[in-house]
């Protein structure tokens, strides 16, 4: 990432396409610890090109930890990244990503208040991701049924038929 354009807090730095390319590599973020270390090192090297504490560097490091099974190390980085105020698509990702991490740590209920404002935000392609991350959050609380409406809403949008009926079924489950 180019330092010359990365100094503005919250704005997306040039070179982000390099980070995207690392994430897009087949097998780039394997769960096996050996491959996971290499993947985190690649992301870390790109993040190191940014000024210390830059929200994008923190966010990408958090994602790398999270996607390689180390959610406990990701959660504080997500919080620090969101304090830096990422905006746009990456800002929304920074609000959605951390909601799934507590679930991995046995604290799924913490994701519900993080995602609630995002469910009504509907601004772009992350809408379905928001619903899918939200869906399993009520399960550890014994409220499995509460997780169905968000998934049905996410899937209904992509069905060639039955969109209206699935959306109606999701509303009916939510209203019970």
């Amino acid at each position: 990432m180019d330092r010359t354009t990365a100094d503005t807090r919250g704005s997306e730095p040039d070179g982000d396409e390099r980070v995207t390319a690392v994430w897009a590599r087949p097998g780039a973020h394997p769960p096996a610890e050996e491959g996971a270390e290499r993947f985190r090192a690649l992301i870390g090297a790109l993040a190191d090109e940014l000024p210390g504490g830059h929200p994008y560097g923190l966010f990408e490091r958090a994602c790398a930890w999270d996607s390689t099974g180390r959610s406990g190390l990701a959660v504080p980085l997500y919080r620090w990244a969101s304090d830096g105020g990422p905006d746009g698509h990456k800002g929304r990702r920074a609000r959605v990503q951390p909601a799934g991490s507590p679930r991995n740590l046995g604290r799924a209920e913490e994701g519900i208040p993080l995602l609630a404002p995002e469910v009504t935000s509907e601004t772009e392609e992350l809408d379905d991701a928001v619903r899918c991350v939200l869906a399993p959050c009520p399960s550890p609380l014994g409220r499995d049924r509460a997780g169905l409406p968000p998934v049905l809403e996410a899937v209904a949008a992509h069905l060639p038929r039955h969109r209206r009926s699935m959306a109606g079924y999701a509303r009916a489950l939510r209203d019970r």
Side-chain angles (χ1 to χ4, degrees):
M1 293 184 193
D2 180 4
R3 282 186 186 274
T4 61
T5 58
D7 292 329
T8 306
R9 297 205 42 93
S11 63
E12 193 162 346
D14 286 348
D16 191 59
E17 64 279 352
R18 293 181 357 194
V19 172
T20 301
V22 171
W23 281 98
R25 290 181 187 170
H29 41 98
E33 193 54 37
E34 181 181 310
E37 285 180 28
R38 275 196 310 270
F39 174 73
R40 290 190 303 260
L42 283 170
I43 294 295
L46 291 170
D48 286 345
E49 294 178 17
L50 295 168
H54 192 284
Y56 285 105
L58 294 168
F59 175 73
E60 291 299 342
R61 285 180 195 276
C63 290
W65 282 110
D66 210 3
S67 71
T68 56
R70 296 295 201 53
S71 296
L73 296 170
V75 169
L77 291 173
Y78 282 134
R79 287 188 186 126
W80 294 329
S82 65
D83 289 345
D87 51 15
H89 176 81
K90 188 120 2 184
R92 191 161 191 219
R93 279 187 59 212
R95 293 185 300 275
V96 173
Q97 290 279 137
S101 301
R103 182 184 66 240
N104 298 335
L105 300 170
R107 303 186 321 251
E109 68 281 359
E110 291 177 22
I112 297 170
L114 293 172
L115 288 171
E118 294 303 318
V119 170
T120 58
S121 177
E122 296 193 38
T123 57
E124 35 123 344
E125 76 272 6
L126 290 178
D127 295 343
D128 293 340
V130 168
R131 289 181 177 98
C132 287
V133 172
L134 178 61
C137 289
S139 185
L141 304 172
R143 297 179 17 228
D144 292 327
R145 184 181 209 139
L148 284 174
V151 171
L152 288 173
E153 290 165 348
V155 171
H158 303 282
L159 296 175
R161 292 179 171 251
H162 311 295
R163 284 183 192 187
R164 205 174 333 178
S165 60
M166 284 299 112
Y169 188 51
R171 276 191 306 280
L173 284 170
R174 191 181 313 282
D175 293 343
R176 285 187 192 172

